[in-house]
Amino acid sequence: ERWPADPAAWSCLGSVQNNLDLPSDAMQSWKTALGLDANWFDALAGYASSLVQTGKAQESLAWFDRALARMPAGSGVDEYPNLYFQHAWALNRTGRFALAMPILEALAKSIPGNASIQFQLGLSYVNQGTAFGDRALKAFEAAEALKYELPQQVKAWMQEWRNRPSATAGAPVS
């Protein structure tokens, strides 16, 4: 704490603590950074991501909105893929599948070999109804090919979708 009034130092400390799997400490460091500068992007992004990772997806959404509004100009999915993924994950966990879908599609295009992105994209699609069933199946198959351990409920849905007698079969999963 050589620089107690520097939000960058506190934000960096939060990132290190988060990488060491110390989420409570990381969140406190990011809150300290935000107390020094309420618009410090890295602290907003870190705090939002920590909230969703600790099961507070609903609460994280407002923090993601604040972080995304303060992103450096010209930045997006390619520069901050983890921030966008965590935001989409929070949207999926709170039932906002239609909002998560374009974020996950952009991520899948930017990082095609990421199994977690493919899985979350599949969840977004499948929960949009049967019109997105083929896209959901493709995303789930991509996740599985990338060694993602699909939940049994998803595997059952995939089998049902593959064996459907018509395009109207299939039920949403979460």
Side-chain angles (χ1 to χ4, degrees):
E1 293 134 8
R2 278 176 74 182
W3 302 282
D6 183 359
W10 284 103
S11 188
C12 184
L13 178 60
S15 295
V16 169
Q17 290 165 325
N18 191 54
N19 288 337
L20 293 172
D21 200 24
L22 300 168
S24 296
D25 294 337
M27 291 174 80
Q28 186 56 50
S29 293
W30 284 319
K31 284 187 102 170
T32 300
L34 292 169
L36 296 167
D37 182 344
N39 295 317
W40 196 262
F41 170 72
D42 292 330
L44 288 167
Y47 191 73
S49 293
S50 285
L51 284 170
V52 74
Q53 291 170 5
T54 56
K56 299 174 185 162
Q58 183 64 44
E59 184 181 346
S60 75
L61 294 175
W63 289 94
F64 279 117
D65 288 345
R66 287 180 63 193
L68 292 169
R70 287 158 183 86
M71 258 179 35
S75 298
V77 169
D78 291 330
E79 292 78 19
Y80 294 99
N82 189 51
L83 174 65
Y84 278 93
F85 177 74
Q86 295 290 328
H87 184 218
W89 186 31
L91 290 167
N92 269 356
R93 292 190 61 152
T94 58
R96 294 169 174 91
F97 303 105
L99 295 174
M101 207 166 29
I103 298 168
L104 291 162
E105 287 171 339
L107 283 166
K109 186 175 181 180
S110 179
I111 311 168
N114 187 295
S116 295
I117 291 170
Q118 293 295 330
F119 176 72
Q120 289 296 321
L121 182 57
L123 287 180
S124 290
Y125 286 146
V126 79
N127 282 287
Q128 291 302 303
T130 57
F132 291 90
D134 288 336
R135 290 187 202 176
L137 181 63
K138 184 177 176 184
F140 287 142
E141 288 174 339
E144 194 170 42
L146 293 165
K147 308 297 183 212
Y148 191 94
E149 186 59 40
L150 297 175
Q152 190 56 44
Q153 184 180 12
V154 170
K155 290 179 182 179
W157 177 87
M158 290 170 67
Q159 190 61 39
E160 178 185 333
W161 187 258
R162 288 182 187 118
N163 295 331
R164 73 191 183 286
S166 69
T168 59
V173 295
S174 19

